[in-house]
């Protein structure tokens, strides 16, 4: 299966029977990102977290009585 990275527009081939290929076929909202873009985002996020200016906003989950 041919897939295209959403960030760098690089076209790659992945195995048609892989779980990623099945997820991309069955749910069009999911997008593919190549390994190099994924690693770049991961390292940049870690760098931002280390600076201390990075805030991760979580929903305040209160215990409902349901």
């Amino acid at each position: 299966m041919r897939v295209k990275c959403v960030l760098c527009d690089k076209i790659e081939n992945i195995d048609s029977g892989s779980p990623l290929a099945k997820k991309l076929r069955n749910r069009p909202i999911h997008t593919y990102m190549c390994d190099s873009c994924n690693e770049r985002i991961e390292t940049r996020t870690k760098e931002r977290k280390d600076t201390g200016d990075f805030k991760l906003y979580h929903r305040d989950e209160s215990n409902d009585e349901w």
Side-chain angles (χ1 to χ4, degrees):
M1 175 178 185
R2 290 180 54 181
V3 291
K4 186 177 184 180
C5 178
V6 294
L7 297 178
C8 66
D9 294 333
K10 183 169 79 172
I11 297 175
E12 293 183 352
N13 289 322
I14 60 172
D15 183 30
S16 295
S18 70
L20 177 62
K22 291 179 182 179
K23 182 172 75 169
L24 292 171
R25 268 195 311 270
N26 294 331
R27 298 189 183 107
I29 192 73
H30 293 279
T31 56
Y32 175 78
M33 197 173 357
C34 66
D35 292 334
S36 60
C37 290
N38 197 11
E39 289 175 14
R40 180 172 48 108
I41 289 174
E42 183 180 345
T43 56
R44 298 255 173 106
T45 303
K46 286 181 182 176
E47 289 173 2
R48 283 198 323 263
K49 281 179 86 173
D50 291 340
T51 62
D53 293 335
F54 183 75
K55 294 182 181 179
L56 191 60
Y57 296 99
H58 293 286
R59 285 181 50 184
D60 185 22
E61 295 183 16
S62 60
N63 292 333
D64 291 333
E65 293 184 16
W66 276 101

